[in-house]
Amino acid sequence: MEQQQHESVAPVLVAHTHAEVQQDLEHRIQFLGYDTVTLRELRDTQGDERAVTAIVADESHYTRLADVPGTSLRELLLSTPVLMLDESNTNRYASGSAPLWPVSVPLRRARLAHLLTQATRYRGRQRRQRLTGSSASIARVRHSIEQVAAFDTNVLVSGESGTGKELVARTIHDLSDRRDAPFVPVNCGAIPEDLLESELFGHEKGAFTGAVNTRKGRFELAEGGTIFLDEIGDMAMPMQVKLLRVLQERSFERVGSSTTLSANVRIIAATHRDLPRSVAAGEFREDLFYRLNVYPIAMPPLRKRLEDIPGLLRELVNGYDMTSGKTLRLQPCALAALAQYRWPGNVRELGNLVERLAILHPTGVVRLSDLPAKYCGEITHDQTGDSVEQLPEHGIVLKDHLRQLERSLIDTALERSGGVVAKAARLLQIRRTTLVEKLRVA
């Protein structure tokens, strides 16, 4: 059988405790057309984000990868999909948002090829477009995405504004077989009711006043790909009827035309509304709801996954270049303040705050006093800006709060030590193995 080539795909990092198994894994992966690389070889790339498609490792060896020198290389490894040999817990995910997939030994070639393809798709997405977080709720969302991506099933994403519903839709598209076709988003709530039909289905020249040319609609533009109908709960009833027909018959007509066009598109819808309540109130068609809600995914609000804030901050600041060349860093007291804030605007609000801080504090260091007043709550600081003196009136989740402080101090120690875990452990006065374990589960 002719070997498939993956010339433009980055190599696969193979890391196994036993040399003979390592060699066998490399041969199997190379047979599938992928190059392989060892950790020693990878160090020479300086942690280039394009350097690894996936990590194939046994669990005991994977835990040692957090001990590699250099912050950029460590971040690369923790954000790369992992094929874990003999891993029994299929719901675990590696730190840094990357998925962890179990692989049984001896390896089945079909399973290995499928997962390497999934990893290639995952790494091919834009770096700014990924679901960040290690909370159980985000792990469930990732698991749901991976389960449904390979199918053309209709998906309904629910959640408050700013939680990342479009990111979920884009991720599903990027992991699907439609990934090379268009992803077309439509905000149904932002388009006037009398223009939405033309926007979705297009129109013929002269179909109405102002229709000076024939125009393709979003469904035609998305042919072969995915259409994302955001704020579907704001769609008017007459338009809901027309959309229902598209879902049922997979066809439509442009406004002013009698020619039926096929709709080979995957439909992903999203809403911040409680659609079952809208159905009960007669504001949303029940049959349309059930057509859209074949596979529901609920995005949690940020206030219910506060443990993800440090990781989200690290991800967001990567999009901004500090004028001094430094990375935006929040002192522990400032991080504690953000961890107790309720985030009504969710991740979008956090992103806006990071952009503001990046502009106002180009040196990269953000203290509690640098935050806008509404984010500080009742947390105060001493002269160093590093201590919490008062408990907020509504209280805090102590376990989560302490976890945020610990992670912030670990990040600071790693930064000061140049990413060398042993040196960072000495700064924190803990054992190196203890720090490695904390990095692994963080």
Side-chain angles (χ1 to χ4, degrees):
M1 182 177 66
E2 183 177 354
Q3 177 178 322
Q4 182 180 3
Q5 296 298 319
H6 300 275
E7 296 177 357
S8 62
V9 177
V12 176
L13 171 62
V14 182
H16 200 279
T17 306
H18 303 294
E20 63 275 14
V21 179
Q22 169 96 12
Q23 187 176 37
D24 179 67
L25 289 170
E26 291 175 351
H27 288 164
R28 290 173 181 269
I29 293 168
Q30 290 166 5
F31 180 80
L32 292 173
Y34 296 83
D35 289 331
T36 58
V37 65
T38 65
L39 183 58
R40 177 177 297 180
E41 294 168 338
L42 185 61
R43 287 193 181 102
D44 296 335
T45 69
Q46 303 297 318
D48 188 334
E49 69 172 15
R50 298 167 297 177
V52 180
T53 290
I55 298 170
V56 179
D58 60 317
E59 187 171 9
S60 62
H61 200 89
Y62 176 69
T63 60
R64 304 173 191 173
L65 296 181
D67 201 15
V68 299
T71 302
S72 60
L73 179 56
R74 186 177 62 256
E75 288 295 325
L76 166 66
L77 295 175
L78 295 180
S79 63
T80 300
V82 180
L83 278 64
M84 188 71 78
L85 301 174
D86 290 325
E87 167 61 40
S88 59
N89 188 344
T90 60
N91 292 322
R92 274 198 338 136
Y93 281 81
S95 300
S97 323
L100 186 153
W101 295 310
V103 183
S104 300
V105 177
L107 289 173
R108 292 174 54 241
R109 187 174 63 187
R111 171 71 172 166
L112 179 62
H114 171 72
L115 291 180
L116 288 177
T117 299
Q118 289 292 91
T120 301
R121 295 175 185 177
Y122 179 92
R123 295 294 289 162
R125 288 185 288 148
Q126 296 181 10
R127 297 294 295 163
R128 63 180 179 86
Q129 293 284 347
R130 67 176 187 176
L131 286 168
T132 298
S134 57
S135 63
S137 57
I138 284 297
R140 286 192 293 268
V141 170
R142 289 198 202 94
H143 186 60
S144 295
I145 288 173
E146 290 174 11
Q147 283 186 313
V148 77
F151 301 91
D152 277 343
T153 306
N154 295 335
V155 178
L156 179 61
V157 187
S158 61
E160 298 176 5
S161 296
T163 51
K165 296 187 291 295
E166 182 171 343
L167 178 55
V168 170
R170 287 185 180 275
T171 305
I172 292 172
H173 173 77
D174 289 341
L175 291 176
S176 75
D177 291 337
R178 295 176 177 266
R179 66 190 181 281
D180 295 325
F183 175 89
V184 179
V186 184
N187 189 327
C188 300
I191 301 173
E193 180 181 344
D194 57 341
L195 297 179
L196 185 56
E197 182 179 4
S198 172
E199 189 70 26
L200 291 178
F201 307 133
H203 62 255
E204 295 292 337
K205 180 179 179 179
F208 51 84
T209 303
V212 295
N213 292 301
T214 297
R215 183 175 182 272
K216 291 183 178 181
R218 300 295 183 92
F219 272 91
E220 281 186 81
L221 295 175
E223 180 66 17
T226 302
I227 188 167
F228 174 57
L229 302 177
D230 197 8
E231 300 304 346
I232 192 73
D234 295 342
M235 183 177 286
M237 275 288 189
M239 195 62 228
Q240 291 180 32
V241 176
K242 295 174 181 179
L243 178 61
L244 179 62
R245 185 209 166 190
V246 177
L247 270 70
Q248 290 174 333
E249 302 179 12
R250 296 291 170 175
S251 63
F252 63 95
E253 292 88 30
R254 292 177 184 166
V255 177
S257 173
S258 59
T259 301
T260 300
L261 303 174
S262 64
N264 176 22
V265 297
R266 180 182 194 160
I267 297 175
I268 302 177
T271 182
H272 72 282
R273 299 185 182 277
D274 184 341
L275 283 190
R277 181 176 296 179
S278 298
V279 169
E283 299 170 351
F284 199 85
R285 291 183 63 95
E286 184 176 24
D287 47 3
L288 178 58
F289 170 70
Y290 287 119
R291 283 280 183 176
L292 294 171
N293 197 44
V294 177
Y295 193 93
I297 297 178
M299 277 298 290
L302 185 54
R303 65 180 175 275
K304 293 188 177 180
R305 58 182 189 108
L306 294 176
E307 64 267 38
D308 290 337
I309 287 180
L312 285 166
L313 286 170
R314 287 194 296 273
E315 183 74 12
L316 289 167
V317 299
N318 286 338
Y320 301 99
D321 293 326
M322 303 294 100
T323 58
S324 63
K326 295 183 178 180
T327 300
L328 193 70
R329 181 171 61 83
L330 278 73
Q331 291 193 344
C333 202
L335 186 58
L338 298 184
Q340 59 84 45
Y341 181 64
R342 302 304 293 169
W343 297 105
N346 294 295
V347 179
R348 183 183 294 126
E349 182 181 1
L350 180 63
N352 292 340
L353 175 63
V354 169
E355 183 175 3
R356 176 179 178 179
L357 294 175
I359 295 171
L360 295 177
H361 305 284
T363 59
V365 178
V366 178
R367 299 174 175 83
L368 177 63
S369 57
D370 296 326
L371 296 177
K374 71 174 183 178
Y375 295 104
C376 297
E378 297 191 27
I379 291 183
T380 61
H381 58 88
D382 61 11
Q383 293 179 346
T384 66
D386 290 329
S387 68
V388 178
E389 296 179 345
Q390 295 182 10
L391 181 69
E393 183 177 353
H394 56 75
I396 61 173
V397 180
L398 183 59
K399 182 179 179 181
D400 292 343
H401 175 64
L402 292 176
R403 186 185 299 116
Q404 308 300 331
L405 291 178
E406 180 182 78
R407 181 67 211 198
S408 178
L409 291 171
I410 288 174
D411 287 344
T412 301
L414 287 169
E415 182 180 331
R416 291 183 184 177
S417 64
V420 179
V421 174
K423 292 182 180 179
R426 285 196 293 270
L427 287 175
L428 297 170
Q429 298 185 30
I430 60 177
R431 294 172 61 87
R432 185 191 63 82
T433 53
T434 300
L435 180 55
V436 170
E437 179 64 20
K438 289 180 179 295
L439 288 170
R440 186 177 72 83
V441 301

